[in-house]
Amino acid sequence: RYPNLLEPLDLGFTRLRNRTLMGSMHTGLEEAKNGFQRLAAFYAERARGGAGLIVTGGIAPNVEGGVFQHAAKMTTEEESDRHRIITEAVHEADGKICMQILHAGRYAYSPELVAPSAIQAPINPFKPKELDEAGIEKQIQDYVDCAALAQRAGYDGVEIMGSEGYFINQFIVSHTNHRTDRWGGSYENRIRLPLEIVRRVRERVGENFILIYRLSMLDLIEDGSTWDEVVHLAKEIEKAGATIINTGIGWHEARVPTIATSVPRGAFTKVTARLKGEVSIPLVTTNRINMPDVAEKILADGDADMVSMARPFLADADLVLKAAEDRADEINTCIGCNQACLDHTFSGKLTSCLVNPRACHETELTYVKTANPKAIAVVGAGPAGLAFATVAAERGHKVTLFDAGSEIGGQFNVAKLIPGKEEFYETLRYFRVMLDKHGVDVRLNTRVSADDLKAGGFDEVILATGVKPRTPDIEGIDHPKVIGYLDALLERKPVGRKVAVIGAGGIGFDVSEFIVHKGESAALDTGHFMREWGVDLSVEHRGGIQGVTPEVPEPAREVYLLQRKASKVGKNLGKTTGWIHRTSLKNRQVQMVPGVTYRKIDDEGLHVTITPKGAEQGEDRVLAVDTIIVCAGQEPLRELQADLESAGLPVHLIGGSDVAAELDAKRAINQGSRLAAEL
Ligand code: SF4
């Protein structure tokens, strides 16, 4: 079914078994205790699952290049030896693996940072020191030594990270390179650094070693590279000795979403396609390629020679294997949420995956066949119940899953309706297929009672009954203008032109997105998405954005998004995606108001007092709205618990019925899976 994706790629001195590249991801294991052992298990599982070529998370070539203080580096033979366990495990699994050499330059979150010029990044509190000639020479030498040490550790190659706004990228563009010596000024001078690095690394490692150069195709910042410059660099990189060119889209400081779930699948691939024919070495394309059919189409269209998928390999280690065995419907699809991967990385936690909590936890979370099969009832087919039921059944337990609704999914059925969150359909498909595959007895439209469960002969009962929305205590809350978020989203109750949303947590944001959008979601239409974020895919504009004015569609409604807390609205949204949600609503003129006290609701509207942060006194206002949507948190549903426990049945609470404070699919799936692994 996927002839292009599964076709081997001959690199002359070596052969890749298919066209998938598992892109570089920092996991946090690089610096953790026993981390290398765990990394070996993590990568070996992906190699067994068929990844064509794996690239590790970034390893610094020296102390100053580390993304943060004490980040993993490879500067000595001792450090190189620690990697052997990884390369051996991957080779044993018939895989191939390259080590990424990552120098953060001005993005390094440490006081020792260096850069071409002393210009601070907007996303870093530290200001870099400008390198002198000897300093630059040292950096190049460190790359070369690092590559040689990676070769010594048994890697099949290295990837030199030249995109995403890191050190090398900072030399290439005038935005961050204000030098006037031979390393700055003209474009020839600014690309001297990457070319020297590639040339000298190739000289040192010899011909039979994969050298991937990751090249920034679209910087998505002001004063980024022009397309002619990108093409020129690619040609020179090939001449300097690279084996493969991988592509990068957008600097970390760019204000355009590039990998979030609201980015259409394969949205940036046509940019890579423009480089085809300009160089003769294989080109890898990337960003939001999450399923084999997306990858196959890109390759069949001739847009690239390989596809890079990073997060999809967190979500499912066996992605390629499943495609090859015509089991793509069993793939646990990466939904682009970033919640357990990048959000973790940027808050110093170990990487994992919302839909697959085993990711980066392969050695401690295992789903082994049980020697003691039990009859288990699961009440509630939301994320927690689904995770539990599928894992427990996979382990050999006899699982019956009850839900009062007519379909599985619980809160996922709400999430999938939000523009930009369509990927949740895939998670539901995955669970549906897994329930079937592992023989879970699914009883929908069944509101099960404690008596039913007691009489059912179950050894254990799992309560995953979820939550019910909380009704805040506001005078007039039963006014006809007031509806709940489920009324607005699932029941499609009429919503007026002017709306107040009470509560600005994740659900308040989702509801606001839902009601301000009209027409097709931009996540399903690349042209629409690019227009909205002001990106020029025809690459006529410098950096892909310079001089392009975003065109945001007219909002469908006038919306106030309100919260009690005086802090910034949306402060607790995902670390790497919160800004996207805030910007999207701001662009649609949603008024986000913190510090709100709700006084009453009547025919006039919603009466509030607004007290800005630090102010002693608030201002009374009446928001003359037609509809008020309540998103003020939820309460756990655990009605069955006491009755079952008093009958002596072992009961476990998971998901929202355990902790309902903020709906959290990541916690729900993790908790359900872990409990199922233990029982
Ligand atoms: Fe994909 Fe979300 Fe998993 Fe990250 S946490 S790999 S974005 S599904």
Side-chain angles (χ1 to χ4, degrees):
R1 278 208 55 199
Y2 307 102
N4 291 283
L5 184 66
L6 300 173
E7 189 191 350
L9 179 64
D10 193 353
L11 297 174
F13 59 92
T14 189
R15 201 172 120 104
L16 305 180
R17 57 187 163 180
N18 59 54
R19 303 302 179 104
T20 59
L21 179 137
M22 173 173 156
S24 173
M25 289 175 287
H26 182 80
T27 65
L29 292 170
E30 295 80 357
E31 292 84 19
K33 196 160 171 266
N34 294 329
F36 280 78
Q37 221 169 350
R38 292 176 63 176
L39 277 173
F42 168 69
Y43 288 125
E45 210 164 281
R46 273 78 195 158
R48 278 194 295 278
L53 178 60
I54 295 171
V55 180
T56 68
I59 302 290
N62 53 30
V63 172
E64 58 272 34
V67 176
F68 47 85
Q69 265 185 315
H70 310 299
K73 58 183 173 50
M74 191 179 278
T75 57
T76 63
E77 293 193 347
E78 203 188 340
E79 283 166 346
S80 161
D81 287 342
R82 296 179 67 200
H83 286 247
R84 275 195 187 278
I85 185 173
I86 296 177
T87 55
E88 281 164 9
V90 170
H91 292 151
E92 224 162 84
D94 275 339
K96 288 200 162 55
I97 183 163
C98 294
M99 188 185 90
Q100 188 189 69
I101 307 179
L102 169 65
H103 187 311
R106 73 175 194 152
Y107 281 167
Y109 199 83
S110 83
E112 289 169 64
L113 69 178
V114 296
S117 302
I119 306 167
Q120 191 175 344
I123 54 171
N124 194 346
F126 298 103
K127 187 173 175 177
K129 279 190 283 294
E130 177 173 321
L131 285 162
D132 60 13
E133 179 78 26
I136 293 175
E137 178 56 34
K138 175 187 178 294
Q139 305 306 311
I140 298 171
Q141 197 51 48
D142 289 345
Y143 270 94
V144 176
D145 293 342
C146 184
L149 288 167
Q151 191 174 33
R152 180 181 179 279
Y155 283 105
D156 299 283
V158 289
E159 175 172 87
I160 293 172
M161 180 49 156
S163 67
E164 280 22 42
Y166 287 115
F167 182 65
I168 291 177
N169 220 174
Q170 292 157 23
F171 267 82
I172 296 171
V173 304
S174 59
H175 183 69
T176 39
N177 183 346
H178 291 184
R179 303 180 72 94
T180 51
D181 59 3
R182 67 193 189 105
W183 304 99
S186 68
Y187 192 66
E188 265 68 25
N189 281 352
R190 283 185 271 128
I191 61 172
R192 191 181 306 281
L193 181 90
L195 298 183
E196 279 298 296
I197 291 172
V198 172
R199 193 178 55 76
R200 290 206 228 166
V201 166
R202 174 55 80 206
E203 232 168 61
R204 179 74 168 271
V205 296
E207 287 305 308
N208 299 341
F209 193 63
I210 301 172
L211 199 167
I212 309 168
Y213 180 82
R214 188 141 181 218
L215 193 150
S216 182
M217 295 266 162
L218 275 186
D219 294 320
L220 301 178
I221 54 155
E222 291 292 310
D223 301 326
S225 294
T226 63
W227 183 248
D228 287 348
E229 289 171 343
V230 168
V231 174
H232 178 72
L233 175 60
K235 289 180 171 171
E236 293 299 317
I237 287 289
E238 178 176 11
K239 277 192 226 153
T243 322
I244 293 172
I245 291 180
N246 191 1
T247 56
I249 302 287
W251 287 34
H252 283 313
E253 66 203 66
R255 293 292 90 178
V256 175
T258 52
I259 59 167
T261 185
S262 54
V263 178
R265 291 173 168 191
F268 293 97
T269 293
K270 291 293 173 197
V271 181
T272 312
R274 286 176 188 271
L275 198 57
K276 284 276 288 178
E278 302 280 4
V279 289
S280 54
I281 52 177
L283 281 178
V284 188
T285 194
T286 181
N287 288 49
R288 285 285 284 128
I289 302 165
N290 63 346
M291 285 296 277
D293 57 337
V294 184
E296 176 66 19
K297 172 148 191 342
I298 290 166
L299 295 167
D301 288 353
D303 292 349
D305 303 290
M306 288 183 82
V307 290
S308 169
M309 296 189 255
R311 299 170 300 166
F313 278 106
L314 284 179
D316 199 327
D318 292 333
L319 185 146
V320 179
L321 197 68
K322 288 177 180 174
E325 293 174 355
D326 210 6
R327 295 189 288 128
D329 63 344
E330 291 183 21
I331 291 174
N332 199 358
T333 305
C334 165
I335 57 173
C337 65
N338 286 357
Q339 285 180 39
C341 52
L342 285 171
D343 285 353
H344 277 205
T345 308
F346 284 101
S347 24
K349 292 191 213 153
L350 283 188
T351 290
S352 190
C353 173
L354 180 139
V355 298
N356 173 23
R358 284 199 68 242
C360 299
H361 294 74
E362 286 74 11
T363 53
E364 52 104 5
L365 179 58
T366 50
Y367 304 152
V368 285
K369 278 270 172 236
T370 178
N372 179 22
K374 293 178 180 169
I376 304 176
V378 183
V379 188
L386 288 170
F388 178 90
T390 50
V391 174
E394 179 186 342
R395 292 191 53 226
H397 292 299
K398 190 173 172 313
V399 181
T400 309
L401 174 63
F402 299 94
D403 199 284
S406 59
E407 55 182 341
I408 63 160
Q411 295 289 334
F412 278 168
N413 289 317
V414 176
K416 74 186 185 191
L417 302 173
I418 310 303
K421 292 200 169 179
E422 294 81 1
E423 291 286 359
F424 278 101
Y425 282 100
E426 293 286 7
T427 309
L428 290 165
R429 180 264 310 145
Y430 167 77
F431 277 122
R432 214 170 288 126
V433 172
M434 286 299 117
L435 291 172
D436 190 41
K437 179 176 165 115
H438 298 302
V440 175
D441 180 1
V442 182
R443 313 254 181 102
L444 295 175
N445 301 307
T446 307
R447 187 171 291 282
V448 74
S449 69
D451 287 339
D452 298 335
L453 292 167
K454 281 186 268 183
F458 295 108
D459 301 312
E460 313 255 354
V461 177
I462 312 300
L463 291 185
T465 33
V467 296
K468 65 167 191 264
R470 197 177 68 82
T471 306
D473 186 14
I474 304 170
E475 185 187 331
I477 193 74
D478 47 6
H479 192 280
K481 278 178 196 241
V482 182
I483 60 173
Y485 63 85
L486 295 176
D487 299 326
L489 297 170
L490 291 180
E491 307 295 329
R492 301 289 169 103
K493 284 211 176 145
V495 175
R497 280 277 312 146
K498 290 181 94 178
V499 184
V501 176
I502 293 183
I507 295 179
F509 266 81
D510 277 356
V511 166
S512 302
E513 279 283 356
F514 183 79
I515 60 175
V516 291
H517 270 78
K518 50 182 172 193
E520 193 176 35
S521 164
L524 304 176
D525 179 342
T526 300
H528 180 170
F529 175 87
M530 297 300 164
R531 281 192 298 281
E532 181 170 337
W533 290 93
V535 179
D536 155 43
L537 283 190
S538 70
V539 299
E540 279 160 20
H541 294 76
R542 190 176 271 283
I545 56 155
Q546 202 143 316
V548 186
T549 311
E551 295 168 30
V552 182
E554 274 294 300
R557 294 182 175 82
E558 205 179 303
V559 175
Y560 297 92
L561 175 57
L562 311 170
Q563 77 174 25
R564 275 183 207 275
K565 279 184 267 175
S567 53
K568 185 170 152 192
V569 174
K571 187 169 164 266
N572 294 330
L573 297 175
K575 209 166 166 70
T576 62
T577 53
W579 67 273
I580 302 171
H581 299 301
R582 287 191 294 269
T583 308
S584 172
L585 293 190
K586 208 163 124 209
N587 286 346
R588 288 174 171 77
Q589 294 141 44
V590 171
Q591 298 197 42
M592 294 176 246
V593 190
V596 178
T597 308
Y598 306 103
R599 287 187 290 117
K600 66 173 177 179
I601 298 162
D602 61 18
D603 290 347
E604 275 185 77
L606 176 60
H607 298 246
V608 295
T609 303
I610 299 169
T611 314
K613 199 170 182 182
E616 295 216 335
Q617 212 170 352
E619 185 202 339
D620 287 349
R621 279 183 67 184
V622 182
L623 306 177
V625 294
D626 313 309
T627 309
I628 296 163
I629 305 179
V630 178
C631 309
Q634 38 276 320
E635 288 160 5
L637 278 172
R638 336 173 150 145
E639 286 135 34
L640 300 169
Q641 185 185 13
D643 209 349
L644 293 172
E645 279 176 349
S646 63
L649 255 182
V651 175
H652 307 265
L653 289 174
I654 56 173
S657 54
D658 179 28
V659 179
E662 179 68 53
L663 284 181
D664 186 346
K666 178 180 77 178
R667 199 181 56 76
I669 291 180
N670 188 36
Q671 193 183 21
S673 306
R674 282 182 184 272
L675 179 64
E678 280 163 21
L679 279 188

